[in-house]
Amino acid sequence: MALGIGPLNPPKRILMGPGPVMVEPRVYEALRQPIVSHVDPYFFQIFEDIRALLGPVFGTQNPFRMVISGTGTSGMETALVNFVEPGMKLAVFANGYFCDRISNIGERQGAVVVRLEKPWGETFSEEEAREFVLREKPHVVAFVQAETSTGVYTPGKAISAAAREVDALVIGDCVTSLGGMPVNVDENGIDVAYSCSQKGLSCPPGLAPITCSPRAMERLRERRRPVPSFYFDLKLIDDYYEGQHRYHHTAPISMFYALREALRIIDEEGLENRFRRHRLNHLAFVAGIEAMGLQMHVREPEQRLWTLNTPRVPEGISDAALRRRLLDEYAIEVLGGFGPLAGKVLRVGLMGASSTRENVLLLLEALERALRAEGFPVKASGREAAESFYAAAAA
Ligand SMILES: Cc1ncc(COP(=O)(O)O)c(C=O)c1O
């Protein structure tokens, strides 16, 4: 049969959007290894390695560390179907698109969802978090640590401290922080933290690491109604990976190879070095953006994600036109904003293998050309500003 695009030959892109991001050659190499079955002892060894390697990346001593077969949303759904029961009060810290998705899934579970709203691009003060949680006295609290729709970082410590006061469980979405920024599950008091494979971990999409505190596992044991999802039932999943290895589903073996390799790369780089790299490239990018006369959407520097940057698109300039030029002329993918930020920001991922000095400099150069071509009076060279930043940081 003649197929439209002929033999598989995907275009070479520089992936600098909100994810997926660039994948290391070693991870591709792992993906092409022959599979074993999902009940082979070798597969369970792969799983054990992943479990061990996930501990430091999540920043946790929790013995319960799992991988859900599915993308980041499957991690979110797993957290909600296991820990939120019909009639429970779920308090959501709502400052972006993914908080809305959490609310939506919570409502589908029959939870009474209450929300503390903030404009997209802001986060919550300690007092706001405490006042909301103490007023609502929810069973479960949920927040997004790294909001990919806005570029805002909310570590979660103040939220968790307030939640402890009313004995609420804390769910934290760490999809865009894991592997690129400190997640610090234990230090921040997050009971259930989930992520994905295709962002800071630099794997293809398809897996969702998750960890649960002993307190969360206790709640799970106390649950009276069965978990309404078979596929995301953590007890059944645990029965498969642990103990008797009772069949639950056919795990995507190749993706587990890939995730193990990606986590080994992180281990070899060292977490502190990795965080330093992400922070440095983020700061260099910001220096370049500001030199060109643009602004970052997130005002407070310490509230900006290192992994996902949201420079504002200047008034009168089309973000779609900029992105088209980046793609056509430089093969660089960045994405635009959506919801209240549609047309107002670019979403630039500097995470995992995409977070390099070369990428930052290339993107700034490409963006400068695109801005000039669209008629924006660029103030100064963003690339040169970033180069000076790197030189000063190295001195
Ligand atoms: C913060 C956050 N949560 C959840 C998700 C959902 O992940 P996925 O698209 O892998 O299902 C994303 C995806 O970008 C995200 O950024």
Side-chain angles (χ1 to χ4, degrees), residues 258-338:
L259 179 60
R260 177 177 177 274
E261 198 58 23
L263 289 167
R264 285 184 60 215
I265 291 171
I266 295 179
D267 184 53
E268 287 165 21
E269 181 175 9
L271 266 184
E272 287 313 314
N273 292 337
R274 193 172 178 93
F275 293 155
R276 210 173 299 124
R277 166 165 68 86
H278 280 76
R279 182 164 176 274
L280 186 73
N281 289 325
H282 156 72
L283 291 175
F285 179 70
V286 173
I289 284 295
E290 291 178 344
M292 287 195 287
L294 269 54
Q295 286 178 340
M296 296 300 286
H297 177 64
V298 180
R299 290 244 176 80
E300 303 297 328
E302 69 282 2
Q303 291 174 3
R304 290 177 189 151
L305 294 173
W306 307 338
T307 44
L308 195 281
N309 301 264
T310 44
R312 287 189 66 82
V313 176
E315 210 60 48
I317 302 287
S318 150
D319 83 295
L322 290 177
R323 290 189 289 110
R324 170 56 54 198
R325 287 181 186 278
L326 297 179
L327 194 64
D328 289 350
E329 293 167 27
Y330 287 84
I332 293 176
E333 184 198 73
V334 307
L335 294 192
F338 56 101

Coordinates of all heavy atoms in Angstrom, one line a residue, residues 258-338:
A258 N 13.9 2.7 28.4 CA 14.3 4.1 28.2 C 14.3 4.9 29.5 O 15.3 5.7 29.7 CB 13.2 4.7 27.2
L259 N 13.3 4.7 30.3 CA 13.3 5.5 31.6 C 14.5 5.1 32.5 O 15.1 6.0 33.1 CB 11.9 5.2 32.3 CG 11.8 5.9 33.6 CD1 11.8 7.4 33.4 CD2 10.4 5.6 34.3
R260 N 14.8 3.8 32.5 CA 16.0 3.4 33.3 C 17.2 4.1 32.8 O 18.0 4.7 33.6 CB 16.1 1.9 33.3 CG 17.3 1.4 34.1 CD 17.4 -0.1 34.0 NE 18.5 -0.6 34.7 CZ 19.7 -0.8 34.1 NH1 19.9 -0.5 32.8 NH2 20.7 -1.4 34.7
E261 N 17.4 4.2 31.5 CA 18.6 4.8 30.9 C 18.6 6.3 31.2 O 19.6 6.9 31.6 CB 18.6 4.5 29.4 CG 20.0 4.7 28.8 CD 21.1 3.9 29.4 OE1 20.8 2.8 30.0 OE2 22.3 4.3 29.3
A262 N 17.4 6.9 31.1 CA 17.3 8.4 31.3 C 17.7 8.7 32.8 O 18.4 9.7 33.1 CB 15.9 8.9 31.0
L263 N 17.2 7.8 33.7 CA 17.5 8.0 35.1 C 19.0 7.8 35.4 O 19.6 8.4 36.3 CB 16.6 7.2 36.0 CG 15.1 7.6 36.0 CD1 14.2 6.5 36.6 CD2 14.9 8.9 36.8
R264 N 19.6 6.8 34.7 CA 21.0 6.6 34.9 C 21.8 7.8 34.5 O 22.8 8.2 35.1 CB 21.5 5.4 34.1 CG 21.0 4.0 34.7 CD 21.6 2.9 33.9 NE 23.0 2.9 33.9 CZ 23.8 2.5 32.9 NH1 23.2 2.0 31.8 NH2 25.1 2.5 33.0
I265 N 21.4 8.4 33.4 CA 22.1 9.6 32.9 C 22.0 10.7 34.0 O 23.0 11.4 34.2 CB 21.5 10.1 31.5 CG1 21.8 9.1 30.4 CG2 22.0 11.5 31.2 CD1 21.1 9.3 29.1
I266 N 20.8 10.9 34.6 CA 20.7 11.9 35.7 C 21.6 11.5 36.8 O 22.3 12.4 37.4 CB 19.2 11.9 36.1 CG1 18.3 12.4 35.0 CG2 19.1 12.8 37.4 CD1 16.9 12.6 35.3
D267 N 21.7 10.3 37.2 CA 22.5 9.8 38.3 C 24.0 10.1 38.0 O 24.7 10.6 38.8 CB 22.3 8.3 38.5 CG 23.0 7.8 39.7 OD1 22.9 8.4 40.8 OD2 23.8 6.8 39.5
E268 N 24.4 9.9 36.7 CA 25.8 10.1 36.4 C 26.1 11.6 36.4 O 27.2 12.0 36.8 CB 26.1 9.6 35.0 CG 26.2 8.0 35.0 CD 26.1 7.4 33.6 OE1 26.4 8.1 32.6 OE2 25.7 6.2 33.5
E269 N 25.2 12.4 35.9 CA 25.4 13.9 35.9 C 25.4 14.4 37.3 O 26.2 15.3 37.6 CB 24.3 14.6 35.1 CG 24.5 16.1 35.1 CD 23.5 16.8 34.2 OE1 22.5 16.2 33.7 OE2 23.6 18.1 34.0
G270 N 24.6 13.8 38.2 CA 24.5 14.3 39.6 C 23.4 15.3 39.7 O 23.4 16.3 38.8
L271 N 22.5 15.2 40.6 CA 21.4 16.1 40.7 C 21.7 17.5 40.9 O 21.2 18.4 40.2 CB 20.5 15.7 41.9 CG 19.3 14.7 41.6 CD1 18.5 14.5 42.8 CD2 18.4 15.2 40.5
E272 N 22.7 17.8 41.7 CA 23.1 19.2 42.0 C 23.6 19.8 40.7 O 23.3 21.0 40.4 CB 24.1 19.3 43.1 CG 23.5 19.1 44.5 CD 22.2 19.8 44.7 OE1 22.2 21.0 44.4 OE2 21.2 19.3 45.2
N273 N 24.5 19.1 40.0 CA 25.0 19.6 38.7 C 23.8 19.8 37.7 O 23.8 20.8 37.0 CB 26.0 18.6 38.1 CG 27.2 18.5 38.9 OD1 27.6 19.4 39.6 ND2 27.9 17.3 38.7
R274 N 22.9 18.9 37.7 CA 21.8 19.0 36.8 C 21.0 20.3 37.1 O 20.6 21.0 36.2 CB 21.0 17.8 36.9 CG 19.9 17.6 35.7 CD 19.3 16.3 35.8 NE 18.3 16.1 34.7 CZ 18.5 15.5 33.5 NH1 19.7 15.2 33.2 NH2 17.6 15.4 32.7
F275 N 20.7 20.5 38.4 CA 19.9 21.6 38.7 C 20.7 22.9 38.4 O 20.1 23.9 37.9 CB 19.5 21.6 40.2 CG 18.6 20.5 40.6 CD1 18.6 20.0 41.9 CD2 17.7 20.0 39.7 CE1 17.7 19.0 42.2 CE2 16.8 18.9 40.0 CZ 16.8 18.4 41.3
R276 N 22.0 22.9 38.7 CA 22.8 24.1 38.3 C 22.7 24.4 36.8 O 22.6 25.5 36.4 CB 24.2 23.8 38.8 CG 25.0 25.1 39.2 CD 26.3 24.8 39.8 NE 26.3 24.0 41.0 CZ 26.9 22.9 41.2 NH1 27.7 22.3 40.3 NH2 26.8 22.2 42.3
R277 N 22.8 23.3 36.0 CA 22.8 23.5 34.6 C 21.4 24.1 34.2 O 21.4 25.1 33.4 CB 22.9 22.2 33.9 CG 22.6 22.2 32.4 CD 23.1 20.9 31.7 NE 22.5 19.7 32.1 CZ 21.4 19.2 31.5 NH1 20.7 19.9 30.6 NH2 20.9 18.0 31.9
H278 N 20.3 23.6 34.7 CA 19.0 24.1 34.4 C 18.8 25.6 34.8 O 18.3 26.4 34.0 CB 17.9 23.3 35.0 CG 17.6 22.0 34.2 ND1 18.5 20.9 34.3 CD2 16.6 21.7 33.4 CE1 18.0 20.0 33.5 NE2 16.9 20.4 32.9
R279 N 19.3 25.9 36.0 CA 19.2 27.3 36.5 C 20.0 28.2 35.7 O 19.5 29.3 35.3 CB 19.6 27.3 38.0 CG 19.4 28.6 38.6 CD 19.5 28.6 40.1 NE 19.4 29.9 40.7 CZ 20.5 30.7 40.8 NH1 21.7 30.2 40.5 NH2 20.3 31.9 41.3
L280 N 21.2 27.8 35.4 CA 22.1 28.7 34.6 C 21.5 29.0 33.2 O 21.5 30.1 32.8 CB 23.5 28.0 34.4 CG 24.6 28.8 33.8 CD1 25.1 29.9 34.8 CD2 25.8 27.9 33.4
N281 N 21.1 27.9 32.5 CA 20.5 28.2 31.2 C 19.2 29.0 31.2 O 19.0 29.8 30.3 CB 20.3 26.8 30.5 CG 21.6 26.2 30.1 OD1 22.6 26.8 29.8 ND2 21.7 24.8 30.2
H282 N 18.4 28.8 32.2 CA 17.2 29.6 32.4 C 17.6 31.1 32.6 O 17.1 32.0 31.9 CB 16.4 29.1 33.6 CG 15.5 30.1 34.2 ND1 14.4 30.6 33.6 CD2 15.6 30.8 35.4 CE1 13.8 31.5 34.4 NE2 14.6 31.6 35.5
L283 N 18.6 31.3 33.5 CA 19.0 32.7 33.8 C 19.6 33.4 32.5 O 19.4 34.6 32.3 CB 20.0 32.8 35.0 CG 19.3 32.4 36.3 CD1 20.4 32.4 37.4 CD2 18.2 33.4 36.7
A284 N 20.4 32.6 31.8 CA 21.0 33.2 30.6 C 19.9 33.5 29.6 O 20.0 34.6 28.9 CB 22.0 32.1 30.0
F285 N 19.0 32.7 29.5 CA 17.8 32.9 28.5 C 17.1 34.2 28.9 O 16.8 35.1 28.1 CB 16.9 31.7 28.5 CG 15.7 31.9 27.6 CD1 15.9 31.9 26.2 CD2 14.4 32.1 28.1 CE1 14.8 32.1 25.4 CE2 13.4 32.3 27.3 CZ 13.5 32.3 25.9
V286 N 16.8 34.3 30.2 CA 16.1 35.5 30.7 C 17.0 36.8 30.4 O 16.4 37.8 30.0 CB 15.8 35.4 32.2 CG1 15.3 36.7 32.8 CG2 14.8 34.3 32.5
A287 N 18.3 36.7 30.7 CA 19.2 37.8 30.4 C 19.0 38.2 28.9 O 18.9 39.4 28.6 CB 20.6 37.5 30.7
G288 N 19.0 37.3 28.0 CA 18.9 37.5 26.6 C 17.5 38.2 26.2 O 17.4 39.1 25.5
I289 N 16.5 37.6 26.8 CA 15.1 38.1 26.6 C 15.0 39.6 27.0 O 14.5 40.4 26.2 CB 14.1 37.2 27.3 CG1 13.9 35.9 26.6 CG2 12.8 37.9 27.5 CD1 13.3 36.0 25.2
E290 N 15.5 39.9 28.2 CA 15.4 41.2 28.7 C 16.2 42.2 27.9 O 15.8 43.3 27.7 CB 15.7 41.2 30.2 CG 14.5 40.5 30.9 CD 14.7 40.4 32.4 OE1 15.9 40.6 32.9 OE2 13.7 40.1 33.1
A291 N 17.4 41.7 27.5 CA 18.3 42.6 26.7 C 17.6 43.0 25.4 O 17.8 44.1 24.9 CB 19.6 41.9 26.4
M292 N 16.8 42.1 24.8 CA 16.2 42.4 23.5 C 15.0 43.4 23.7 O 14.4 43.8 22.8 CB 15.7 41.1 22.9 CG 16.8 40.3 22.3 SD 16.2 39.0 21.2 CE 15.5 37.8 22.3
G293 N 14.6 43.6 25.0 CA 13.5 44.5 25.2 C 12.2 43.8 25.5 O 11.1 44.4 25.5
L294 N 12.3 42.5 25.8 CA 11.1 41.7 26.1 C 11.0 41.5 27.6 O 12.0 41.8 28.3 CB 11.1 40.3 25.4 CG 10.5 40.2 24.0 CD1 11.1 41.2 23.1 CD2 10.7 38.8 23.5
Q295 N 9.8 41.1 28.1 CA 9.7 40.8 29.5 C 9.3 39.4 29.8 O 8.6 38.8 28.9 CB 8.5 41.7 30.1 CG 8.9 43.2 30.2 CD 7.8 44.0 30.7 OE1 6.6 43.6 30.6 NE2 8.1 45.2 31.2
M296 N 9.6 38.9 30.9 CA 9.1 37.6 31.3 C 7.7 37.8 31.9 O 7.5 38.7 32.6 CB 10.1 37.0 32.4 CG 11.5 36.7 31.9 SD 11.5 35.5 30.5 CE 11.1 34.0 31.3
H297 N 6.9 36.8 31.6 CA 5.5 36.9 32.1 C 5.4 36.8 33.7 O 4.7 37.5 34.3 CB 4.6 35.8 31.5 CG 3.2 35.8 32.0 ND1 2.4 36.9 31.8 CD2 2.5 34.9 32.8 CE1 1.2 36.7 32.4 NE2 1.3 35.5 33.0
V298 N 6.2 35.9 34.2 CA 6.2 35.7 35.7 C 7.1 36.8 36.3 O 8.3 36.8 36.0 CB 6.7 34.3 36.1 CG1 6.7 34.1 37.6 CG2 5.9 33.2 35.4
R299 N 6.5 37.7 37.1 CA 7.3 38.9 37.5 C 8.4 38.5 38.4 O 9.5 39.0 38.3 CB 6.3 39.8 38.2 CG 5.3 40.5 37.3 CD 5.5 42.0 37.2 NE 4.6 42.6 36.3 CZ 3.3 42.8 36.5 NH1 2.8 42.5 37.7 NH2 2.5 43.3 35.6
E300 N 8.1 37.7 39.5 CA 9.1 37.5 40.5 C 10.1 36.4 40.1 O 9.7 35.3 39.8 CB 8.4 36.9 41.8 CG 7.3 37.8 42.4 CD 7.9 39.2 42.8 OE1 9.1 39.2 43.3 OE2 7.2 40.2 42.7
P301 N 11.4 36.8 40.0 CA 12.4 35.8 39.5 C 12.4 34.5 40.2 O 12.5 33.4 39.6 CB 13.7 36.5 39.6 CG 13.4 38.0 39.6 CD 12.0 38.1 40.2
E302 N 12.2 34.5 41.6 CA 12.3 33.2 42.3 C 11.0 32.4 42.1 O 11.0 31.2 42.5 CB 12.6 33.5 43.8 CG 11.5 34.1 44.6 CD 11.4 35.6 44.4 OE1 12.1 36.2 43.6 OE2 10.5 36.2 45.1
Q303 N 10.0 32.9 41.4 CA 8.8 32.1 41.1 C 8.8 31.6 39.7 O 7.8 31.0 39.3 CB 7.5 33.0 41.3 CG 7.3 33.3 42.8 CD 6.1 34.3 43.0 OE1 5.5 34.7 42.0 NE2 5.9 34.7 44.2
R304 N 9.9 31.8 39.0 CA 10.0 31.3 37.6 C 10.5 29.9 37.6 O 11.5 29.6 38.3 CB 10.9 32.2 36.8 CG 10.4 33.6 36.6 CD 11.3 34.5 35.8 NE 10.9 35.9 35.8 CZ 11.6 36.9 35.7 NH1 13.0 36.8 35.6 NH2 11.1 38.1 35.7
L305 N 9.9 29.1 36.7 CA 10.5 27.8 36.5 C 11.8 27.9 35.7 O 11.9 28.7 34.8 CB 9.5 26.9 35.7 CG 8.1 26.6 36.4 CD1 7.2 25.9 35.4 CD2 8.4 25.7 37.6
W306 N 12.7 27.0 36.0 CA 13.9 26.9 35.2 C 13.7 26.1 34.0 O 14.4 26.2 33.0 CB 15.1 26.3 36.0 CG 15.3 26.8 37.3 CD1 15.0 28.1 37.7 CD2 16.0 26.2 38.4 NE1 15.5 28.3 39.0 CE2 16.1 27.1 39.5 CE3 16.5 24.9 38.6 CZ2 16.6 26.8 40.7 CZ3 17.1 24.6 39.8 CH2 17.2 25.6 40.9
T307 N 12.7 25.3 34.1 CA 12.4 24.3 33.0 C 11.5 24.9 31.9 O 11.6 24.5 30.8 CB 11.7 23.1 33.6 OG1 10.6 23.6 34.5 CG2 12.6 22.2 34.4
L308 N 10.6 25.8 32.3 CA 9.6 26.3 31.3 C 9.5 27.8 31.4 O 9.1 28.3 32.5 CB 8.3 25.6 31.5 CG 7.2 25.7 30.5 CD1 6.4 27.0 30.5 CD2 7.7 25.4 29.1
N309 N 10.0 28.5 30.4 CA 10.1 29.9 30.4 C 9.0 30.6 29.6 O 8.7 30.1 28.5 CB 11.4 30.3 29.8 CG 12.6 29.7 30.5 OD1 13.2 30.3 31.4 ND2 12.9 28.5 30.2
T310 N 8.4 31.7 30.1 CA 7.3 32.3 29.4 C 7.6 33.8 29.1 O 7.1 34.7 29.8 CB 6.0 32.2 30.2 OG1 6.2 32.4 31.6 CG2 5.4 30.8 30.1
P311 N 8.4 34.1 28.1 CA 8.6 35.5 27.7 C 7.3 36.0 27.1 O 6.6 35.2 26.4 CB 9.7 35.4 26.7 CG 9.8 34.0 26.2 CD 9.2 33.1 27.3
R312 N 7.0 37.2 27.4 CA 5.8 37.8 26.8 C 6.0 38.2 25.4 O 7.1 38.7 25.0 CB 5.4 39.0 27.6 CG 4.8 38.7 29.0 CD 4.2 39.9 29.7 NE 3.0 40.4 29.0 CZ 1.8 39.9 29.1 NH1 1.6 38.9 29.9 NH2 0.8 40.4 28.5
V313 N 5.0 38.0 24.5 CA 5.1 38.4 23.1 C 4.7 39.9 23.1 O 3.7 40.3 23.7 CB 4.0 37.6 22.3 CG1 4.0 38.1 20.9 CG2 4.3 36.1 22.4
P314 N 5.6 40.7 22.5 CA 5.3 42.1 22.5 C 4.0 42.5 21.8 O 3.6 41.8 20.9 CB 6.5 42.7 21.6 CG 7.5 41.7 21.5 CD 6.8 40.3 21.7
E315 N 3.4 43.5 22.3 CA 2.1 44.1 21.7 C 2.2 44.2 20.2 O 3.2 44.7 19.7 CB 1.9 45.4 22.4 CG 0.5 45.9 22.5 CD -0.3 44.9 23.4 OE1 0.1 44.6 24.6 OE2 -1.4 44.6 23.0
G316 N 1.2 43.7 19.5 CA 1.2 43.9 18.0 C 2.0 42.8 17.3 O 1.9 42.8 16.0
I317 N 2.6 41.9 17.9 CA 3.4 40.9 17.3 C 2.6 39.6 17.4 O 2.1 39.3 18.5 CB 4.8 40.7 17.9 CG1 5.6 42.0 17.8 CG2 5.6 39.6 17.2 CD1 6.1 42.4 16.4
S318 N 2.6 38.8 16.3 CA 1.8 37.5 16.3 C 2.8 36.4 16.8 O 3.8 36.2 16.2 CB 1.3 37.2 14.9 OG 1.2 35.8 14.7
D319 N 2.3 35.7 17.9 CA 3.2 34.6 18.4 C 3.2 33.5 17.4 O 4.3 32.8 17.2 CB 2.7 34.1 19.8 CG 1.6 33.1 19.7 OD1 0.5 33.5 19.2 OD2 1.8 32.0 20.0
A320 N 2.1 33.3 16.6 CA 2.1 32.2 15.7 C 3.2 32.5 14.6 O 3.9 31.6 14.1 CB 0.7 32.1 15.1
A321 N 3.3 33.8 14.2 CA 4.2 34.1 13.1 C 5.7 33.9 13.6 O 6.5 33.4 12.9 CB 4.0 35.6 12.7
L322 N 5.9 34.3 14.9 CA 7.3 34.1 15.4 C 7.6 32.6 15.4 O 8.7 32.2 15.0 CB 7.3 34.6 16.9 CG 7.3 36.1 17.1 CD1 7.3 36.4 18.6 CD2 8.5 36.8 16.4
R323 N 6.6 31.8 15.9 CA 6.9 30.4 16.0 C 7.1 29.7 14.7 O 7.9 28.8 14.5 CB 5.8 29.7 16.8 CG 5.8 30.1 18.3 CD 4.8 29.3 19.2 NE 3.5 29.7 18.9 CZ 2.6 28.9 18.3 NH1 2.9 27.7 17.9 NH2 1.3 29.2 18.1
R324 N 6.4 30.2 13.7 CA 6.5 29.7 12.3 C 7.9 29.9 11.8 O 8.6 29.1 11.2 CB 5.4 30.3 11.5 CG 5.4 30.1 10.0 CD 5.5 28.7 9.5 NE 4.4 27.8 10.0 CZ 4.4 26.5 10.0 NH1 5.4 25.9 9.5 NH2 3.4 25.8 10.5
R325 N 8.4 31.1 12.1 CA 9.8 31.5 11.6 C 10.8 30.6 12.3 O 11.8 30.2 11.7 CB 10.1 33.0 11.9 CG 9.3 33.9 10.9 CD 9.7 35.3 11.2 NE 8.9 36.2 10.4 CZ 9.1 36.5 9.1 NH1 10.2 36.1 8.5 NH2 8.3 37.3 8.5
L326 N 10.6 30.4 13.6 CA 11.6 29.6 14.4 C 11.6 28.2 13.8 O 12.7 27.6 13.6 CB 11.2 29.5 15.8 CG 11.3 30.8 16.6 CD1 10.9 30.6 18.1 CD2 12.7 31.4 16.6
L327 N 10.4 27.7 13.5 CA 10.3 26.3 12.9 C 10.9 26.2 11.5 O 11.7 25.3 11.2 CB 8.9 25.8 13.0 CG 8.7 24.3 12.8 CD1 9.3 23.6 14.0 CD2 7.2 24.0 12.7
D328 N 10.5 27.1 10.7 CA 10.9 27.0 9.3 C 12.3 27.3 9.1 O 13.0 26.7 8.3 CB 10.1 28.1 8.4 CG 8.6 27.6 8.3 OD1 8.3 26.5 8.7 OD2 7.8 28.4 7.8
E329 N 12.9 28.3 9.8 CA 14.2 28.8 9.5 C 15.3 28.1 10.4 O 16.4 28.0 10.0 CB 14.3 30.3 9.7 CG 13.5 31.0 8.6 CD 13.3 32.5 9.0 OE1 14.2 33.1 9.6 OE2 12.3 33.1 8.5
Y330 N 14.8 27.6 11.6 CA 15.8 27.0 12.5 C 15.4 25.6 13.0 O 16.2 25.0 13.8 CB 16.0 27.9 13.7 CG 16.8 29.2 13.5 CD1 16.1 30.3 12.9 CD2 18.1 29.3 13.7 CE1 16.8 31.5 12.7 CE2 18.9 30.4 13.5 CZ 18.2 31.5 12.9 OH 18.9 32.7 12.7
A331 N 14.3 25.1 12.6 CA 13.8 23.8 13.0 C 13.6 23.8 14.5 O 13.6 22.7 15.2 CB 14.7 22.7 12.6
I332 N 13.4 25.0 15.1 CA 13.2 25.0 16.6 C 11.7 25.0 16.9 O 10.9 25.8 16.3 CB 13.8 26.3 17.2 CG1 15.3 26.3 17.1 CG2 13.4 26.5 18.7 CD1 16.0 27.6 17.5
E333 N 11.3 24.1 17.8 CA 9.9 24.1 18.2 C 9.8 24.8 19.6 O 10.4 24.4 20.5 CB 9.3 22.7 18.3 CG 7.8 22.8 18.7 CD 7.2 21.5 19.2 OE1 7.5 21.2 20.4 OE2 6.5 20.9 18.5
V334 N 9.0 25.9 19.6 CA 8.5 26.4 20.9 C 7.0 26.6 20.8 O 6.5 26.7 19.7 CB 9.2 27.8 21.4 CG1 10.7 27.7 21.4 CG2 8.7 28.9 20.5
L335 N 6.3 26.6 21.9 CA 4.8 26.7 21.7 C 4.4 28.0 22.3 O 5.1 28.7 22.9 CB 4.1 25.5 22.5 CG 4.3 24.1 21.9 CD1 3.3 23.1 22.5 CD2 4.2 24.1 20.4
G336 N 3.1 28.3 22.0 CA 2.5 29.6 22.5 C 1.7 29.4 23.7 O 1.6 28.2 24.2
G337 N 1.1 30.4 24.2 CA 0.2 30.3 25.4 C -1.2 29.9 25.0 O -1.5 29.9 23.8
F338 N -2.0 29.6 26.0 CA -3.4 29.3 25.7 C -4.2 29.8 26.8 O -3.7 30.3 27.8 CB -3.6 27.8 25.3 CG -3.2 26.8 26.4 CD1 -4.1 26.2 27.2 CD2 -1.8 26.5 26.5 CE1 -3.6 25.4 28.2 CE2 -1.4 25.6 27.4 CZ -2.3 25.0 28.3

